[in-house]
Amino acid sequence: MANAEKVEVPVIGMDCMECTQHVNRSISRLPGISHVEVFLTSEKAVIQLDPDLVSEREIHKAIRDAGYEVVPLSEKRLEIPGSEYSKPILTLLGIVFGVVLFVVVVGEWLGLFEVVTQLVPWYIALPLIGLLGYPVFRKVIKAAFQRQIISHTLMSVGVIAACITGEWATAVVLVFFMRVGDYVERFTAERARRAIKDLAAMAPQSARVQGKTGETEIPIGDVKAGDTVIVRPGELIPVDGEVIAGHATIDQASITGEAMPVEAGPGAHVFAATVAQLGSIRVRTAGIGTDTTFGKIIQLVEEAEAHRANVQRVADKFSSYYLPIVLGIAAVTMFIRRDPIATVAVLVVACSCAFALATPIAMLASIGAGAKHGLLIKGGKYLETLAGADVLLIDKTGTLTLGQPQIVKVMVNDKGWHLMDTAAVKTMPPADLEFIHLAAAAERYSEHPLAEAVRHLYEELGFTPAEPDDFRALPGVGVQADVAGKQVVVGLQRLTADLPGDIERITTQLLSQGATLIYVHIDGQLQGVLGAQDTLRPEVPQAIGELLGLGFSHVELLTGDNAYAAADLAKDLKIKYRAELLPEDKIRIVKEYQNQGHTVVMVGDGVNDAPALAQADVGIAMGAAGSDVAIEAAHIALLREDWNLVPDVVRIARRTMRVVKMNIGFTAVYNLLGLTLAAFGYLPPVFAAALQSIPDLGILANSSRLIKQK
């Protein structure tokens, strides 16, 4: 489609996945539509279209013809839809439902219901049926004009059958319970939306911008990149950007889920929807609205429905066959038993949306709850896959480690070569530290992490690196510079082919301990060796132990570092390793496991690991807050750098799948039992109507446990 365009249309009134399918089919029939995704939780349709062939007005009409409402984006509600049904109203509805149910059940049991049925004239019952059932009948009629059968079609047929047989009171009660079921389904859908809507409600609506004439508060949509935004104590930060003045303590829980606040001063990056608890700052705007990290999180969580789990696809497919099957059972019941009452009961008991709700309610509950705690899960598909994964591949630098190497050992030539740690170096006379002084000066303008480690060591000794002359980077070697008239070369390669035995012995010892060696040559002679090691994240050993306990059959470290460093770390963590790998090597290893039938999880930092994260069945990016690459490449993004989140998200996935299986099992057994009792005449239509909302309530109660999980 050469002239493709993407539009979003808010759709109001959808209560279950069947509703989204109904809207999808209505829009898809229009010319010029190439793709449609309808989302229950965010109440919107995302449509790829050719504007030369179809207009938004035609799309709106198709949605309304399907029985749903359209509102302009500017009027789209941030509060939870359905929140107008306050607790008192819901309580009153529950009381009325309970009273009516009690009267009906007791009346049926005592045989009084037949007497009441005979006393209710048609000219009273019929208006009541039309008035109470109009919203549902309207949807059924619109669906019929579009040659579609929806779940309410069955109960509507049941109501018509009750009227034909003269069971007017039964028809009235059926309509009442049909409306109660409607409210239950709507309430169930709203509970699934709650976590996501709570996130959306946190989005800033205005910003205080510094202008030529002073401070002005403007709508967030009017803020532009480069504007200076002023944030005072206790206020939401409205944009992503860099602090250019001031200092504040920032609560970033809305982004990372981390309870502990962070300190932010000039040069720090801050995120929209976080709170400046203490202090005032000025922020140079870099991202606004959907271009902020918070905006991307909301958008991805809203659209997580697009990545449906396989079990959900099976349930959706079953739902499409379920209604014709029920109509068939009703026809067989009528043909064999010649009992219109039993036939009505079959139609009524089967009208619940429970099968369609069983999977998405649980998935969306976990996705929404995870987003509030720093876990960005892109869809139920990845929760399902993660729950069954058996291979875990892990990047090293920036993932298991902090990505900030430090000098831990120093080898000096002081009347013979010997090794000391950095604490001993700090006690040495300054005159004996000349090679460190020269190395720090040569590395002054290098951006390499190891250069930063050398400078950091020198600064810890209380000095500032000198200004080098003729600084040059030497590819494959390191850096070269002239310092105080001496030529200094610092790097990973030694310039001399042969070294004295004691040096060779010490360097081998350092390498075996996982250190990276930095050789310092002055005027062509080796004067010292620095041993650098990356720092392991303190929570990693416990987290890896938990993952091994969760049953991963293969846990392997993949790194571009040398084999000595990888072996030392892997030994401590009791896992396998492969070292000196390029990015394409990591992809090859992922494919090797996949070709053997394994389900692979890859954990990386989302930058250099992006290809491997995308290739894995589930890619998990560490510390993805503010990183577009990490958020785009990974299937699950951990918004803060905390390895405890990795076993947490595995447990969440497995818990979610247990809930899904319980929902599906409960719904299947309930419907089978209900259809059987109804078909054999043991379940009167009134009871069937009263009981058809129970599966929805059961699914809601079971799935709600996931909303509150920590």
Side-chain angles (χ1 to χ4, degrees):
M1 191 174 289
N3 209 14
E5 189 176 291
K6 182 178 178 180
V7 299
E8 291 188 9
V9 181
V11 182
I12 303 301
M14 297 184 294
D15 302 327
C16 65
M17 297 306 294
E18 182 189 72
C19 298
T20 66
Q21 294 165 7
H22 193 190
V23 173
N24 193 317
R25 287 192 291 265
S26 298
I27 298 173
S28 298
R29 288 196 182 101
L30 297 173
I33 302 295
S34 60
H35 186 70
V36 181
E37 288 283 0
V38 183
F39 301 108
L40 176 67
T41 49
S42 48
E43 294 183 294
K44 68 179 180 182
V46 179
I47 308 162
Q48 293 279 357
L49 56 85
D50 186 339
D52 295 335
L53 299 177
V54 64
S55 67
E56 287 196 44
R57 180 175 296 180
E58 290 174 299
I59 294 172
H60 293 181
K61 182 178 183 301
I63 294 171
R64 292 192 177 99
D65 287 345
Y68 304 91
E69 296 300 322
V70 179
V71 297
L73 280 170
S74 58
E75 298 177 14
K76 190 179 179 185
R77 296 167 293 180
L78 282 178
E79 73 275 6
I80 303 169
S83 58
E84 65 269 23
Y85 305 114
S86 60
K87 287 185 178 180
I89 295 177
L90 285 173
T91 302
L92 178 62
L93 180 65
I95 292 172
V96 172
F97 173 72
V99 170
V100 173
L101 180 61
F102 176 78
V103 170
V104 169
V105 171
V106 173
E108 182 77 20
W109 181 56
L110 295 176
L112 301 176
F113 199 72
E114 292 182 6
V115 177
V116 174
T117 299
Q118 295 170 1
L119 295 177
V120 177
W122 69 268
Y123 52 82
I124 293 178
L126 199 58
L128 282 175
I129 292 169
L131 184 65
L132 283 172
Y134 170 74
V136 176
F137 296 150
R138 179 170 170 266
K139 283 186 181 181
V140 170
I141 293 170
K142 286 192 172 186
F145 277 121
Q146 296 190 30
R147 300 178 183 177
Q148 295 177 0
I149 296 175
I150 61 177
S151 60
H152 287 314
T153 302
L154 297 177
M155 185 170 269
S156 299
V157 172
V159 171
I160 293 171
C163 292
I164 292 174
T165 57
E167 302 284 335
W168 297 106
T170 300
V172 172
V173 175
L174 289 178
V175 170
F176 171 78
F177 284 121
M178 183 163 58
R179 294 303 308 278
V180 169
D182 232 14
Y183 281 115
V184 169
E185 287 170 3
R186 184 175 304 175
F187 182 67
T188 304
E190 301 305 348
R191 285 300 303 270
R193 294 183 181 120
R194 184 174 299 275
I196 297 173
K197 295 299 179 181
D198 284 349
L199 274 178
M202 295 166 60
Q205 301 300 309
S206 63
R208 190 179 295 105
V209 176
Q210 178 68 54
K212 294 181 180 179
T213 58
E215 301 176 13
T216 307
E217 188 162 346
I218 61 175
I220 194 66
D222 294 338
V223 180
K224 298 179 177 60
D227 283 352
T228 298
V229 172
I230 300 167
V231 184
R232 293 174 179 164
E235 292 184 344
L236 277 177
I237 298 174
V239 298
D240 278 11
E242 181 184 340
V243 178
I244 58 175
H247 188 280
T249 302
I250 310 294
D251 178 359
Q252 294 186 335
S254 59
I255 298 291
T256 65
E258 177 59 62
M260 293 298 294
V262 299
E263 301 298 320
H269 190 82
V270 293
F271 303 105
T274 58
V275 181
Q277 291 182 325
L278 300 171
S280 179
I281 53 176
R282 293 174 184 261
V283 180
R284 182 185 294 113
T285 300
I288 310 104
T290 55
D291 292 329
T292 63
T293 296
F294 185 74
K296 290 185 178 72
I297 290 171
I298 292 177
Q299 183 178 9
L300 288 171
V301 171
E302 284 182 341
E303 296 180 1
E305 288 178 55
H307 303 286
R308 292 193 173 113
N310 290 331
V311 66
Q312 183 174 340
R313 295 182 187 278
V314 172
D316 290 345
K317 191 170 183 179
F318 176 81
S319 295
S320 66
Y321 292 111
Y322 178 65
L323 299 183
I325 289 172
V326 171
L327 287 174
I329 293 173
V332 170
T333 301
M334 186 64 186
F335 179 77
I336 294 176
R337 302 194 70 244
R338 305 291 180 181
D339 185 349
I341 301 301
T343 304
V344 170
V346 168
L347 295 172
V348 170
V349 78
C351 83
S352 170
C353 284
F355 269 117
L357 287 171
T359 301
I361 292 297
M363 294 292 185
L364 296 173
S366 284
I367 290 168
K372 295 175 71 174
H373 294 284
L375 298 169
L376 181 53
I377 304 164
K378 289 189 178 180
K381 171 184 177 180
Y382 305 115
L383 281 174
E384 182 182 27
T385 304
L386 181 61
D390 60 341
V391 172
L392 178 67
L393 305 178
I394 310 168
D395 172 55
K396 175 178 174 284
T397 305
T399 304
L400 283 178
T401 63
L402 295 173
Q404 301 169 353
Q406 296 179 348
I407 305 299
V408 294
K409 297 291 184 180
V410 177
M411 188 166 64
V412 297
N413 186 4
D414 180 20
K415 298 178 182 179
W417 289 93
H418 60 276
L419 189 65
M420 62 179 66
D421 57 27
T422 53
V425 172
K426 294 176 183 179
T427 65
M428 294 177 63
D432 295 337
L433 300 175
E434 181 187 25
F435 85 94
I436 298 179
H437 163 75
L438 296 174
E443 296 276 27
R444 179 163 183 167
Y445 296 113
S446 174
E447 297 178 353
H448 197 282
L450 292 175
E452 174 63 30
V454 175
R455 292 194 298 269
H456 181 70
L457 170 65
Y458 194 58
E459 289 165 359
E460 280 191 329
L461 297 175
F463 303 105
T464 301
E467 187 73 25
D469 297 321
D470 193 26
F471 170 82
R472 287 188 298 143
L474 303 176
V477 178
V479 300
Q480 176 180 305
D482 292 336
V483 182
K486 297 182 179 181
Q487 187 185 71
V488 183
V489 178
V490 184
L492 302 177
Q493 302 292 328
R494 64 192 189 195
L495 301 182
T496 51
D498 298 317
L499 294 175
D502 52 350
I503 299 179
E504 196 72 58
R505 176 181 53 79
I506 295 173
T507 55
T508 301
Q509 177 186 341
L510 285 173
L511 287 171
S512 68
Q513 294 172 353
T516 299
L517 301 186
I518 305 170
Y519 297 91
V520 182
H521 299 84
I522 301 173
D523 291 333
Q525 298 296 317
L526 181 64
Q527 295 296 323
V529 181
L530 304 174
Q533 281 186 316
D534 204 350
T535 305
L536 184 69
R537 298 182 187 276
E539 74 279 9
V540 163
Q542 178 182 342
I544 295 294
E546 291 180 22
L547 288 164
L548 291 170
L550 287 170
F552 282 91
S553 59
H554 298 80
V555 179
E556 192 165 356
L557 172 66
L558 307 182
T559 179
D561 280 359
N562 64 70
Y564 288 112
D568 187 64
L569 181 58
K571 180 181 178 182
D572 289 343
L573 297 176
K574 299 177 182 178
I575 60 177
K576 299 177 182 179
Y577 74 92
R578 299 192 210 186
E580 300 176 6
L581 300 175
L582 298 174
E584 53 265 34
D585 295 325
K586 296 181 181 180
I587 296 174
R588 174 180 53 78
I589 293 168
V590 171
K591 289 181 178 179
E592 282 178 7
Y593 277 114
Q594 290 173 330
N595 292 337
Q596 295 168 13
H598 295 287
T599 301
V600 180
V601 177
M602 174 75 190
V603 184
D605 62 7
V607 182
N608 62 329
D609 298 313
L613 290 174
Q615 176 63 42
D617 296 289
V618 179
I620 301 177
M622 289 284 299
S627 170
D628 291 343
V629 173
I631 290 176
E632 290 299 324
H635 307 119
I636 297 175
L638 312 182
L639 298 177
R640 67 176 187 271
E641 296 181 345
D642 182 355
W643 253 88
N644 290 318
L645 293 177
V646 180
D648 281 352
V649 76
V650 173
R651 281 190 284 262
I652 287 171
R654 295 183 179 179
R655 189 180 303 126
T656 302
M657 289 311 300
R658 285 197 298 270
V659 168
V660 166
K661 291 173 182 177
M662 289 172 65
N663 286 349
I664 292 175
F666 169 71
T667 303
V669 171
Y670 188 92
N671 279 273
L672 180 62
L673 183 61
L675 286 170
T676 302
L677 292 175
F680 284 95
Y682 295 112
L683 188 67
V686 173
F687 282 12
L691 298 177
Q692 58 91 23
S693 295
I694 289 180
D696 292 348
L697 291 172
I699 287 171
L700 172 62
N702 195 35
S703 301
S704 292
R705 299 184 292 127
L706 298 171
I707 296 176
K708 298 179 180 180
Q709 66 185 324
K710 295 184 180 179

